[in-house]
Structures are given as C-alpha cells and as structure tokens.
C-alpha cells in the first residue's frame, strides 16, 4: 500500500503504476455531474485544486448540532464526466481523480500530460469511506447543487483505492478488458 | 410497534446490512484471491465496509437506490401505498436513505423520496404470508442491466440456449468496472419486454447457494455454467482483474410469442440489499 498525502507531489504521482494500491490522506474535494457542467459553462471553481484530489462522489451528509457528518461516501460512476475532465485536469492542476469505472482515452492523455492519476475506489463501500473522513472542512455550491452534488471538502485519513489509470498512459481497465475479450473468444 | 415503524426498521436494516448468503459468498471469494492483489484489496475493503455499516446502522452504499417493495397481496390494505410512503419519508428524515428521488421533468428532488411511482410497490401472490421484502438497487448496477433480442448478429447469438449464454456473458463483459463487481445476475429468458425486466429482477430475491438454485435441471445447469464462464474472464472485483466477477446467477424462463425472443439481464452489484419483515403480528 503506497501512502499519498496532500499536497500531492507531481513526481510521486507520476511514479505510480496502474495496479498500485494506495492510501490517501489530507484534503479531498468532491465534484460530480453538476460540478463538471458548471465548470464547463465557465463557473468559478470555489477551491484551488492544484496538487489536490477530486472525488467523484455524492455523499449522504447530515447536519448535526456541531456541523456536518458524513454517513456514506462511496464513489459514483466517472464516465459521465469524460466530456469535461481533460479540460478540468489541464486548467486545475489536479493530481488525483478518485471515482468508479475509469475514464476515456482523452482523459488518460490529459493525465499523462499533466501528471495526474485515476484511483478506483471500491464502489458501494460508502460506510467505510465515510469513516475515513475525519472532518468536513467545508462545503461549497450546496444551495446551488444540493447535498449529493455539492463540492464537499473532506479531510480524509487512510482512504483506500487502486491506481487504475496512471500518468504513463496505462489503464488497468483496458488490460483487463483485452484479457477478458480474448477469453470470451476462447469459450464462445 | 406500528407498521410504519416496522417498515422504517426494514429500510434501515436492509440499507445497512448485507444478507448472510451474499456476505458468505464475498468472504469465500476473498479467500480465493491472491493476497495483496487488487482483487484481494477490493474484497477486503468491501468486507470491512459491510462490518462497519452493520455496526453503525448506516447505509453501506450511499446510493440507497430504487426501493422496490414486494408485499403479500393479502396485505394490500394494511400495507397500503400510503403506509409504505410514510415509512420511506420517515426513513429518509432519519438518514437511512439519501435524498435519491429526482423529478425526471423538472430535475427537482423529492426530499422525502416519495412521489407517484416512488417507491415501487408490488403486491404479489407468491410472497410468504404476512411478509414484505425490500430490494434496494443502486443506479450503478441498474445502468448495467440489459435486454437483448435474439437473433443478435453483433454477438452471433441465435435463438437457442447457446445464444442466450452469449448475451448473458456480453452483459457481464460490458459491466466491467461499472456494475460494482462481483455482481449477481437475475435473468429472464423469453417473456415480453416489460415483464421480462420484472421477472429478471425478481430472480434477485432468490438466495445464493444451493437453496436458491433453479428447480429446473436445464436452467440450473445454465446458471452453474455461466457462473463458471464469467469467473474465468478475469474481470474481477470492480473490474480491476481477479477470479471473482460474479457471486451468482439466477435464471428463470417465460413463454414468448413466435416473433420475439428476449434475453433480459438484471445486474445486481455486490451490495445486494434485500431484506424481509413479517407484519402479521402487528
């Protein structure tokens, strides 16, 4: 398990390989469909993503007396952000994108160019990821987007995932898919 | 305890706790994957998550999904749609459910998860007397459900069981990385388009293991064969590679008209949330 801590160092990120297990700590910002559309439409992104992490996640958060608590916070499917992500990577300097299912070749190319990796979080592991959030440092665009789509700022500790797309142009999804296709040919 | 409270409890328990058969199947798969592999890391994370969600009583997946209630038809009055909606609203207010219900025309959220057609309620005559079963199916897995029409030239799939097998394995391949593998398939061979999706989803109510295997010898063989084939593809947990792509396959068949031959696959993620409660004593 490789330990990564915010701010994420470009050299360390570029050294990661598809298939590496990682544990992420520090600040992670959530952003999903409305966030990406907002960015593409020229909206002002409320936080600095440089050397930071973007998490495709729509959490269950509840407001308690002493502030927000995260109840469940697993990843959502990333492909929906394919049309926006290359531009976001280039303009924001984000180093880690966390999500589910992987992204397209254009995103992979942008990651290679800018030094960014895609980490596959375990879909459905909402309770465990919520427990890795030690503090909700804040939230933006809550009124505009609603709780599930807002830009949450989570302080996480030991957030587990697997590098599925690295900054060298390798995608674990593609590798697994090619092997599966070859096997399908054999048995059909 | 009144029925609304009992149903709210069913929602909490179903959302926070995997059925024992599903958890046992994941545990068995975990033991079968190489230590330190992506598959082992993913399955270990899933098992930690299952334990934690149960302990806290919090949703094990933040996508608390489409709620489908299968209610004994004799309970139509006692467990009316009004009663079920009250329970869903209560469960939402208590944080057991995400605000997860969007008006498809206006894009607005129904903050109590209740609207015309939400939750989904089926009054069925095959349910155990006095019982209600709840299935919570998330969007990631629902998006991976598919319907094929045989013959399918792109798959070279004809109108026979070999063609059916090709369709089902294609659905497994296409779910790579998206459906939150290891998954469970509910399949309907034949039927009309609409009922086939219903029947395919109903197969997800059958437990994993021998207890839930098809009573029909041909379908039972097909269930076994497809499970073995799918797990030989190497897709693995979350599509990152490994031996465990599916936890189970459940197949049913329905008659068709001569002109149609549908193969319908309901893809369920590992977070197969189904729960049951008896409300007769209430």
């Amino acid at each position: 398990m490789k330990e990564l801590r915010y701010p994420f160092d470009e050299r360390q990120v570029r050294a990661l390989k598809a298939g590496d297990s990682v544990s992420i700590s520090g600040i992670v910002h959530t952003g999903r469909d409305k966030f990406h559309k907002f960015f593409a439409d020229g909206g002002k992104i409320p936080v600095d993503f440089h050397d930071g992490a973007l998490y495709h996640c729509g959490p269950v958060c509840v407001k308690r007396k002493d502030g927000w608590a995260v109840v469940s916070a697993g990843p959502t499917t990333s492909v929906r952000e394919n049309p926006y992500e290359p531009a976001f990577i280039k303009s924001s300097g984000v180093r880690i994108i966390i999500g589910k299912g992987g992204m397209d070749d254009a995103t992979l190319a942008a990651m290679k160019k800018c030094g960014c990796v895609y980490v596959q979080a375990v879909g459905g592991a909402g309770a465990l990821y919520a427990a890795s959030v030690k503090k909700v440092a804040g939230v933006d665009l809550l009124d505009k987007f609603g709780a599930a789509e807002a830009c949450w700022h989570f302080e996480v500790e030991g957030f587990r995932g697997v590098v599925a797309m690295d900054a060298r142009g390798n995608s674990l999804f593609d590798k697994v898919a090619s092997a599966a296709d070859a096997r399908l040919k054999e048995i059909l | 305890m009144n029925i609304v409270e009992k149903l709210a409890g069913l929602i909490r328990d179903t959302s926070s706790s995997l059925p024992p058969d599903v958890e046992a199947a994941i545990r068995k798969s975990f033991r079968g994957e190489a230590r330190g592999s992506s598959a082992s890391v993913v399955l270990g994370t899933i098992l930690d998550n299952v334990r934690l969600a149960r302990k806290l009583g919090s949703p094990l997946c933040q996508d608390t999904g489409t709620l489908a209630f299968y209610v004994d038809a004799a309970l139509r009055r006692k467990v009316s749609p009004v009663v079920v909606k009250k329970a869903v609203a209560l469960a939402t207010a208590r944080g057991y459910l995400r605000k997860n219900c969007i008006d498809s025309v206006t894009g607005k959220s129904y903050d109590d998860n209740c609207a015309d057609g939400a939750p989904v309620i089926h009054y069925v005559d095959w349910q155990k007397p006095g019982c209600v079963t709840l299935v919570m199916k998330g969007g990631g897995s629902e998006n991976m459900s598919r319907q094929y029409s045989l013959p399918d030239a792109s798959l070279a799939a004809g109108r026979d069981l070999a063609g059916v097998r090709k369709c089902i394995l294609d659905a497994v391949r296409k779910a790579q990385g998206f459906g939150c593998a290891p998954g469970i398939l509910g399949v309907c061979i034949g039927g009309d388009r609409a009922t086939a999706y219903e029947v395919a989803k109903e197969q997800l109510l059958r437990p994993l293991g021998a207890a839930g295997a098809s009573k029909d010898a041909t379908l039972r063989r097909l269930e076994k064969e497809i499970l073995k084939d799918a797990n030989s593809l190497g897709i693995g947990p979350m599509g990152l590679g490994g031996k465990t792509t599916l936890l189970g396959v459940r197949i049913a068949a329905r008659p068709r008209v001569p002109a149609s031959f549908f193969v319908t696959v309901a893809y369920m993620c590992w977070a197969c949330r189904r729960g049951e409660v008896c409300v007769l004593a209430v």
Side-chain angles (χ1 to χ4, degrees):
Chain A
M1 191 85 66
K2 297 211 159 87
E3 305 279 339
L4 303 171
R5 185 168 285 280
Y6 177 83
F8 306 105
D9 176 59
E10 181 175 351
R11 270 177 51 201
Q12 194 188 7
V13 167
R14 282 192 183 274
L16 292 169
K17 288 193 207 113
D20 285 346
S21 295
V22 293
S23 166
I24 298 167
S25 299
I27 281 273
V28 165
H29 311 284
T30 70
R32 54 180 293 179
D33 307 67
K34 286 183 183 172
F35 175 90
H36 285 84
K37 175 82 164 48
F38 176 75
F39 162 75
D41 291 344
K44 190 182 178 304
I45 295 300
V47 282
D48 182 10
F49 273 88
H50 192 74
D51 289 339
L54 168 67
Y55 184 18
H56 297 155
C57 168
V60 181
C61 295
V62 290
K63 200 163 195 174
R64 304 246 160 90
K65 275 180 206 145
D66 51 347
W68 287 97
V70 188
V71 177
S72 199
T76 191
T77 305
S78 300
V79 283
R80 295 188 307 264
E81 321 312 342
N82 279 342
Y84 317 111
E85 213 69 292
F88 182 77
I89 292 169
K90 283 172 194 160
S91 83
S92 68
V94 66
R95 293 278 169 239
I96 300 175
I97 293 170
I98 308 165
K100 180 176 94 179
M103 302 192 74
D104 63 2
D105 288 346
T107 306
L108 187 63
M111 294 193 328
K112 187 175 177 183
K113 183 161 185 258
C114 304
C116 174
V117 293
Y118 179 90
V119 171
Q120 171 90 334
V122 178
L128 192 71
Y129 287 127
S132 78
V133 178
K134 297 305 163 195
K135 192 182 157 197
V136 177
V139 58
D140 281 294
L141 302 165
L142 179 63
D143 292 336
K144 202 174 170 66
F145 295 169
E149 297 249 11
C151 181
W152 294 91
H153 316 306
F154 292 156
E155 271 180 37
V156 303
E157 198 66 45
F159 184 108
R160 282 186 255 168
V162 175
V163 176
M165 296 161 71
D166 63 25
R168 307 151 184 238
N170 300 308
S171 164
L172 193 51
F173 293 109
D174 291 348
K175 204 175 122 198
V176 170
S178 309
D181 287 339
R183 173 69 187 153
L184 268 178
K185 265 197 191 133
E186 261 174 50
I187 61 176
L188 290 183
Chain B
M1 194 193 289
N2 65 32
I3 293 190
V4 170
E5 277 293 343
K6 201 146 193 177
L7 292 177
L10 171 69
I11 294 168
R12 182 198 55 220
D13 294 348
T14 306
S15 174
S16 61
S17 188
L18 269 194
D21 58 308
V22 179
E23 190 174 350
I26 297 172
R27 205 168 291 285
K28 191 177 159 201
S29 303
F30 177 61
R31 287 194 297 267
E33 297 284 0
R35 282 194 106 183
S37 63
S38 305
S40 163
V41 169
V42 170
L43 291 174
T45 303
I46 287 173
L47 288 169
D48 287 348
N49 180 67
V50 169
R51 265 191 295 272
L52 186 68
R54 185 172 291 138
K55 192 175 129 200
L56 301 176
S58 57
L60 58 92
C61 175
Q62 76 287 341
D63 188 348
T64 48
T66 298
L67 275 62
F69 290 88
Y70 296 87
V71 183
D72 173 11
L75 296 174
R76 198 179 282 271
R77 291 234 170 82
K78 213 170 181 182
V79 186
S80 67
V82 173
V83 169
V84 176
K85 281 183 183 177
K86 269 188 193 161
V88 169
L90 184 64
T92 309
R94 287 179 181 166
Y96 307 157
L97 297 173
R98 184 168 72 178
K99 289 169 186 168
N100 215 30
C101 183
I102 309 295
D103 188 292
S104 301
V105 177
T106 65
K108 292 222 167 73
S109 169
Y110 293 99
D111 282 348
D112 59 358
N113 282 316
C114 293
D116 267 353
V120 176
I121 309 169
H122 300 281
Y123 294 95
V124 294
D125 53 13
W126 43 258
Q127 179 61 278
K128 273 185 253 173
C131 286
V132 177
T133 300
L134 168 63
V135 173
M136 300 171 66
K137 192 168 186 294
S141 78
E142 188 67 6
N143 290 347
M144 291 300 114
S145 294
R146 285 170 205 278
Q147 191 164 64
Y148 299 85
S149 179
L150 293 178
D152 184 318
S154 68
L155 299 175
R159 289 186 151 196
D160 52 18
L161 286 185
V164 169
R165 175 170 168 260
K166 283 182 182 172
C167 295
I168 300 173
L169 289 173
D170 181 68
V172 173
R173 165 67 186 84
K174 289 204 170 114
Q176 187 216 353
F178 301 114
C180 290
I184 301 166
L185 303 185
V187 178
C188 179
I189 305 172
D192 67 84
R193 284 192 186 272
T195 46
Y197 265 121
E198 287 291 354
V199 170
K201 189 168 176 179
E202 280 168 14
Q203 303 319 305
L204 300 170
L205 298 171
R206 290 158 55 188
L208 299 175
S214 176
K215 304 228 175 348
D216 179 277
T218 308
L219 296 185
R220 196 163 57 238
R221 209 175 312 122
L222 194 60
E223 287 176 353
K224 265 193 178 165
E225 189 192 2
I226 287 173
L227 179 62
K228 199 166 148 235
D229 287 343
N231 284 336
S232 80
L233 296 180
I235 289 171
M238 294 309 295
L240 298 172
K243 295 176 197 161
T244 319
T245 302
L246 290 183
L247 298 172
V249 181
R250 293 293 177 247
I251 305 177
R254 289 293 181 270
R256 60 183 178 84
V257 295
S260 301
F261 196 143
F262 300 116
V263 179
T264 309
V265 181
Y267 188 101
M268 179 58 111
C269 56
W270 65 262
C272 173
R273 289 154 286 173
R274 62 170 136 76
E276 186 187 282
V277 73
C278 182
V279 298
L280 263 196
V282 176

Short mmCIF file of all heavy atoms in Angstrom, two decimals, chain B residues 17-59:
data_model
loop_
_atom_site.label_atom_id
_atom_site.label_comp_id
_atom_site.label_asym_id
_atom_site.label_seq_id
_atom_site.Cartn_x
_atom_site.Cartn_y
_atom_site.Cartn_z
N SER B 17 -27.22 -3.63 6.16
CA SER B 17 -26.75 -4.98 6.44
C SER B 17 -26.96 -5.91 5.23
O SER B 17 -28.08 -6.04 4.73
CB SER B 17 -27.55 -5.51 7.64
OG SER B 17 -27.02 -6.73 8.06
N LEU B 18 -25.88 -6.53 4.77
CA LEU B 18 -26.00 -7.47 3.64
C LEU B 18 -26.66 -8.76 4.09
O LEU B 18 -26.44 -9.20 5.22
CB LEU B 18 -24.62 -7.81 3.10
CG LEU B 18 -24.00 -6.99 1.99
CD1 LEU B 18 -22.80 -7.73 1.42
CD2 LEU B 18 -24.98 -6.67 0.89
N PRO B 19 -27.43 -9.41 3.23
CA PRO B 19 -27.98 -10.73 3.58
C PRO B 19 -26.83 -11.71 3.84
O PRO B 19 -25.79 -11.61 3.18
CB PRO B 19 -28.76 -11.14 2.33
CG PRO B 19 -28.98 -9.90 1.55
CD PRO B 19 -27.85 -8.98 1.89
N PRO B 20 -27.01 -12.65 4.78
CA PRO B 20 -25.93 -13.57 5.16
C PRO B 20 -25.38 -14.37 3.97
O PRO B 20 -24.17 -14.62 3.90
CB PRO B 20 -26.59 -14.53 6.16
CG PRO B 20 -27.84 -13.87 6.60
CD PRO B 20 -28.23 -12.86 5.57
N ASP B 21 -26.24 -14.77 3.03
CA ASP B 21 -25.76 -15.57 1.89
C ASP B 21 -24.82 -14.76 1.01
O ASP B 21 -23.81 -15.29 0.50
CB ASP B 21 -26.95 -16.12 1.06
CG ASP B 21 -27.85 -15.01 0.53
OD1 ASP B 21 -28.29 -14.17 1.34
OD2 ASP B 21 -28.12 -14.99 -0.67
N VAL B 22 -25.11 -13.47 0.83
CA VAL B 22 -24.25 -12.62 -0.01
C VAL B 22 -22.92 -12.37 0.69
O VAL B 22 -21.85 -12.49 0.08
CB VAL B 22 -24.95 -11.29 -0.34
CG1 VAL B 22 -24.04 -10.41 -1.18
CG2 VAL B 22 -26.27 -11.54 -1.06
N GLU B 23 -22.98 -12.08 1.97
CA GLU B 23 -21.74 -11.83 2.72
C GLU B 23 -20.86 -13.09 2.72
O GLU B 23 -19.64 -13.00 2.54
CB GLU B 23 -22.06 -11.39 4.15
CG GLU B 23 -20.83 -10.90 4.87
CD GLU B 23 -21.12 -10.31 6.24
OE1 GLU B 23 -22.30 -10.11 6.58
OE2 GLU B 23 -20.15 -10.08 6.98
N ALA B 24 -21.49 -14.25 2.91
CA ALA B 24 -20.72 -15.51 2.92
C ALA B 24 -20.04 -15.72 1.57
O ALA B 24 -18.88 -16.16 1.50
CB ALA B 24 -21.63 -16.68 3.26
N ALA B 25 -20.75 -15.40 0.49
CA ALA B 25 -20.17 -15.58 -0.85
C ALA B 25 -18.98 -14.64 -1.07
O ALA B 25 -17.98 -15.03 -1.68
CB ALA B 25 -21.24 -15.34 -1.92
N ILE B 26 -19.08 -13.42 -0.57
CA ILE B 26 -17.96 -12.46 -0.72
C ILE B 26 -16.76 -12.95 0.10
O ILE B 26 -15.62 -12.91 -0.36
CB ILE B 26 -18.39 -11.04 -0.28
CG1 ILE B 26 -19.51 -10.52 -1.18
CG2 ILE B 26 -17.19 -10.09 -0.33
CD1 ILE B 26 -20.13 -9.21 -0.72
N ARG B 27 -17.05 -13.44 1.31
CA ARG B 27 -15.98 -13.93 2.18
C ARG B 27 -15.23 -15.10 1.51
O ARG B 27 -14.02 -15.18 1.53
CB ARG B 27 -16.60 -14.40 3.50
CG ARG B 27 -15.67 -14.36 4.69
CD ARG B 27 -16.44 -14.56 5.99
NE ARG B 27 -17.28 -13.42 6.29
CZ ARG B 27 -16.84 -12.25 6.75
NH1 ARG B 27 -15.56 -12.08 6.97
NH2 ARG B 27 -17.66 -11.26 6.99
N LYS B 28 -16.01 -15.99 0.90
CA LYS B 28 -15.42 -17.15 0.23
C LYS B 28 -14.53 -16.68 -0.95
O LYS B 28 -13.42 -17.18 -1.14
CB LYS B 28 -16.54 -18.06 -0.28
CG LYS B 28 -16.07 -19.41 -0.76
CD LYS B 28 -17.25 -20.28 -1.17
CE LYS B 28 -16.78 -21.38 -2.09
NZ LYS B 28 -17.87 -21.94 -2.89
N SER B 29 -15.02 -15.70 -1.69
CA SER B 29 -14.24 -15.17 -2.82
C SER B 29 -12.95 -14.53 -2.33
O SER B 29 -11.90 -14.68 -2.96
CB SER B 29 -15.04 -14.09 -3.55
OG SER B 29 -16.26 -14.61 -3.98
N PHE B 30 -13.05 -13.80 -1.23
CA PHE B 30 -11.88 -13.12 -0.65
C PHE B 30 -10.77 -14.14 -0.37
O PHE B 30 -9.60 -13.92 -0.68
CB PHE B 30 -12.30 -12.40 0.63
CG PHE B 30 -11.17 -11.72 1.36
CD1 PHE B 30 -10.45 -10.71 0.76
CD2 PHE B 30 -10.85 -12.09 2.66
CE1 PHE B 30 -9.41 -10.07 1.44
CE2 PHE B 30 -9.82 -11.46 3.34
CZ PHE B 30 -9.10 -10.45 2.73
N ARG B 31 -11.17 -15.28 0.17
CA ARG B 31 -10.18 -16.32 0.49
C ARG B 31 -9.54 -16.90 -0.78
O ARG B 31 -8.41 -17.38 -0.76
CB ARG B 31 -10.83 -17.45 1.30
CG ARG B 31 -11.15 -17.04 2.74
CD ARG B 31 -11.49 -18.27 3.59
NE ARG B 31 -12.68 -18.98 3.15
CZ ARG B 31 -13.92 -18.75 3.63
NH1 ARG B 31 -14.11 -17.85 4.57
NH2 ARG B 31 -14.94 -19.42 3.17
N GLY B 32 -10.27 -16.83 -1.90
CA GLY B 32 -9.78 -17.43 -3.14
C GLY B 32 -8.87 -16.53 -3.96
O GLY B 32 -8.26 -16.97 -4.93
N GLU B 33 -8.80 -15.23 -3.62
CA GLU B 33 -7.97 -14.30 -4.39
C GLU B 33 -6.56 -14.24 -3.80
O GLU B 33 -6.39 -14.39 -2.59
CB GLU B 33 -8.60 -12.90 -4.38
CG GLU B 33 -9.97 -12.82 -5.05
CD GLU B 33 -9.94 -12.85 -6.58
OE1 GLU B 33 -8.84 -12.93 -7.16
OE2 GLU B 33 -11.03 -12.81 -7.18
N ALA B 34 -5.57 -13.98 -4.66
CA ALA B 34 -4.17 -13.91 -4.20
C ALA B 34 -3.98 -12.74 -3.24
O ALA B 34 -4.50 -11.64 -3.49
CB ALA B 34 -3.25 -13.76 -5.40
N ARG B 35 -3.27 -12.98 -2.16
CA ARG B 35 -3.05 -11.93 -1.15
C ARG B 35 -2.29 -10.76 -1.76
O ARG B 35 -1.34 -10.95 -2.51
CB ARG B 35 -2.24 -12.47 0.02
CG ARG B 35 -3.08 -13.30 0.97
CD ARG B 35 -2.33 -13.52 2.27
NE ARG B 35 -2.88 -12.70 3.33
CZ ARG B 35 -2.39 -12.66 4.56
NH1 ARG B 35 -1.33 -13.34 4.86
NH2 ARG B 35 -2.95 -11.91 5.47
N GLY B 36 -2.74 -9.55 -1.45
CA GLY B 36 -2.05 -8.36 -1.94
C GLY B 36 -2.47 -7.94 -3.34
O GLY B 36 -2.10 -6.87 -3.81
N SER B 37 -3.26 -8.80 -4.04
CA SER B 37 -3.74 -8.42 -5.38
C SER B 37 -4.81 -7.34 -5.26
O SER B 37 -5.39 -7.14 -4.20
CB SER B 37 -4.32 -9.66 -6.07
OG SER B 37 -5.45 -10.13 -5.35
N SER B 38 -5.09 -6.65 -6.39
CA SER B 38 -6.17 -5.66 -6.40
C SER B 38 -7.46 -6.30 -5.94
O SER B 38 -8.22 -5.72 -5.17
CB SER B 38 -6.39 -5.12 -7.81
OG SER B 38 -5.22 -4.61 -8.35
N ALA B 39 -7.71 -7.52 -6.43
CA ALA B 39 -8.96 -8.21 -6.09
C ALA B 39 -9.07 -8.41 -4.59
O ALA B 39 -10.14 -8.21 -3.99
CB ALA B 39 -9.01 -9.56 -6.81
N SER B 40 -7.96 -8.79 -3.97
CA SER B 40 -7.95 -9.03 -2.54
C SER B 40 -8.15 -7.73 -1.77
O SER B 40 -8.89 -7.67 -0.78
CB SER B 40 -6.64 -9.73 -2.18
OG SER B 40 -6.41 -9.66 -0.81
N VAL B 41 -7.51 -6.64 -2.24
CA VAL B 41 -7.68 -5.33 -1.59
C VAL B 41 -9.13 -4.88 -1.69
O VAL B 41 -9.73 -4.42 -0.72
CB VAL B 41 -6.73 -4.28 -2.24
CG1 VAL B 41 -7.07 -2.88 -1.78
CG2 VAL B 41 -5.27 -4.61 -1.90
N VAL B 42 -9.72 -5.04 -2.88
CA VAL B 42 -11.10 -4.59 -3.08
C VAL B 42 -12.06 -5.41 -2.20
O VAL B 42 -12.90 -4.85 -1.50
CB VAL B 42 -11.51 -4.69 -4.56
CG1 VAL B 42 -13.01 -4.48 -4.74
CG2 VAL B 42 -10.74 -3.68 -5.40
N LEU B 43 -11.92 -6.74 -2.23
CA LEU B 43 -12.84 -7.58 -1.45
C LEU B 43 -12.65 -7.35 0.05
O LEU B 43 -13.62 -7.34 0.81
CB LEU B 43 -12.66 -9.05 -1.81
CG LEU B 43 -13.13 -9.43 -3.22
CD1 LEU B 43 -12.76 -10.89 -3.54
CD2 LEU B 43 -14.63 -9.23 -3.40
N GLY B 44 -11.40 -7.14 0.47
CA GLY B 44 -11.13 -6.84 1.88
C GLY B 44 -11.79 -5.53 2.29
O GLY B 44 -12.37 -5.42 3.37
N THR B 45 -11.73 -4.54 1.40
CA THR B 45 -12.37 -3.25 1.67
C THR B 45 -13.88 -3.42 1.77
O THR B 45 -14.53 -2.86 2.65
CB THR B 45 -12.01 -2.26 0.54
OG1 THR B 45 -10.59 -2.15 0.46
CG2 THR B 45 -12.60 -0.88 0.81
N ILE B 46 -14.44 -4.23 0.87
CA ILE B 46 -15.89 -4.49 0.89
C ILE B 46 -16.29 -5.13 2.22
O ILE B 46 -17.26 -4.70 2.86
CB ILE B 46 -16.29 -5.40 -0.30
CG1 ILE B 46 -16.23 -4.61 -1.61
CG2 ILE B 46 -17.69 -6.00 -0.08
CD1 ILE B 46 -16.44 -5.46 -2.87
N LEU B 47 -15.52 -6.12 2.66
CA LEU B 47 -15.87 -6.82 3.90
C LEU B 47 -15.74 -5.89 5.11
O LEU B 47 -16.59 -5.92 6.02
CB LEU B 47 -15.00 -8.07 4.07
CG LEU B 47 -15.36 -9.21 3.11
CD1 LEU B 47 -14.30 -10.31 3.13
CD2 LEU B 47 -16.73 -9.81 3.43
N ASP B 48 -14.72 -5.03 5.12
CA ASP B 48 -14.59 -4.05 6.21
C ASP B 48 -15.80 -3.12 6.22
O ASP B 48 -16.33 -2.76 7.26
CB ASP B 48 -13.31 -3.21 6.03
CG ASP B 48 -12.06 -4.01 6.35
OD1 ASP B 48 -12.19 -5.11 6.93
OD2 ASP B 48 -10.95 -3.54 6.02
N ASN B 49 -16.19 -2.72 5.00
CA ASN B 49 -17.34 -1.81 4.87
C ASN B 49 -18.63 -2.47 5.37
O ASN B 49 -19.43 -1.84 6.05
CB ASN B 49 -17.49 -1.40 3.41
CG ASN B 49 -18.65 -0.46 3.19
OD1 ASN B 49 -18.63 0.67 3.65
ND2 ASN B 49 -19.69 -0.93 2.54
N VAL B 50 -18.81 -3.73 5.04
CA VAL B 50 -20.02 -4.45 5.46
C VAL B 50 -20.09 -4.51 6.99
O VAL B 50 -21.14 -4.26 7.58
CB VAL B 50 -20.02 -5.88 4.85
CG1 VAL B 50 -21.11 -6.75 5.47
CG2 VAL B 50 -20.21 -5.79 3.34
N ARG B 51 -18.96 -4.83 7.60
CA ARG B 51 -18.92 -4.90 9.08
C ARG B 51 -19.25 -3.55 9.70
O ARG B 51 -20.06 -3.45 10.62
CB ARG B 51 -17.51 -5.31 9.53
CG ARG B 51 -17.34 -6.80 9.77
CD ARG B 51 -16.03 -7.09 10.47
NE ARG B 51 -14.88 -6.74 9.64
CZ ARG B 51 -14.30 -7.57 8.76
NH1 ARG B 51 -14.76 -8.79 8.63
NH2 ARG B 51 -13.29 -7.19 8.02
N LEU B 52 -18.62 -2.51 9.16
CA LEU B 52 -18.78 -1.17 9.74
C LEU B 52 -20.22 -0.66 9.59
O LEU B 52 -20.80 -0.12 10.53
CB LEU B 52 -17.80 -0.21 9.07
CG LEU B 52 -17.75 1.18 9.68
CD1 LEU B 52 -17.14 1.12 11.08
CD2 LEU B 52 -16.91 2.12 8.80
N ALA B 53 -20.80 -0.85 8.41
CA ALA B 53 -22.16 -0.37 8.16
C ALA B 53 -23.15 -1.05 9.10
O ALA B 53 -24.06 -0.43 9.65
CB ALA B 53 -22.57 -0.63 6.71
N ARG B 54 -22.93 -2.35 9.31
CA ARG B 54 -23.82 -3.09 10.20
C ARG B 54 -23.70 -2.57 11.63
O ARG B 54 -24.68 -2.36 12.32
CB ARG B 54 -23.52 -4.58 10.13
CG ARG B 54 -24.49 -5.43 10.93
CD ARG B 54 -24.29 -6.90 10.70
NE ARG B 54 -24.67 -7.30 9.35
CZ ARG B 54 -23.97 -8.14 8.59
NH1 ARG B 54 -22.84 -8.66 9.04
NH2 ARG B 54 -24.39 -8.46 7.39
N LYS B 55 -22.45 -2.32 12.04
CA LYS B 55 -22.20 -1.84 13.40
C LYS B 55 -22.85 -0.47 13.63
O LYS B 55 -23.47 -0.22 14.66
CB LYS B 55 -20.68 -1.76 13.62
CG LYS B 55 -20.28 -1.55 15.06
CD LYS B 55 -18.76 -1.61 15.20
CE LYS B 55 -18.28 -0.38 15.95
NZ LYS B 55 -16.88 -0.10 15.75
N LEU B 56 -22.72 0.41 12.64
CA LEU B 56 -23.22 1.77 12.80
C LEU B 56 -24.70 1.91 12.43
O LEU B 56 -25.32 2.92 12.73
CB LEU B 56 -22.40 2.73 11.91
CG LEU B 56 -20.90 2.82 12.17
CD1 LEU B 56 -20.25 3.73 11.15
CD2 LEU B 56 -20.62 3.33 13.58
N GLY B 57 -25.22 0.92 11.73
CA GLY B 57 -26.59 1.04 11.22
C GLY B 57 -26.70 2.11 10.15
O GLY B 57 -27.76 2.71 9.95
N SER B 58 -25.59 2.37 9.44
CA SER B 58 -25.64 3.41 8.39
C SER B 58 -25.59 2.76 7.01
O SER B 58 -25.15 1.62 6.87
CB SER B 58 -24.52 4.42 8.59
OG SER B 58 -23.28 3.79 8.60
N PRO B 59 -26.05 3.48 5.96
CA PRO B 59 -26.13 2.88 4.63
C PRO B 59 -24.78 2.32 4.19
O PRO B 59 -23.78 3.02 4.25
CB PRO B 59 -26.53 4.05 3.74
CG PRO B 59 -27.18 5.02 4.65
CD PRO B 59 -26.48 4.88 5.97
#
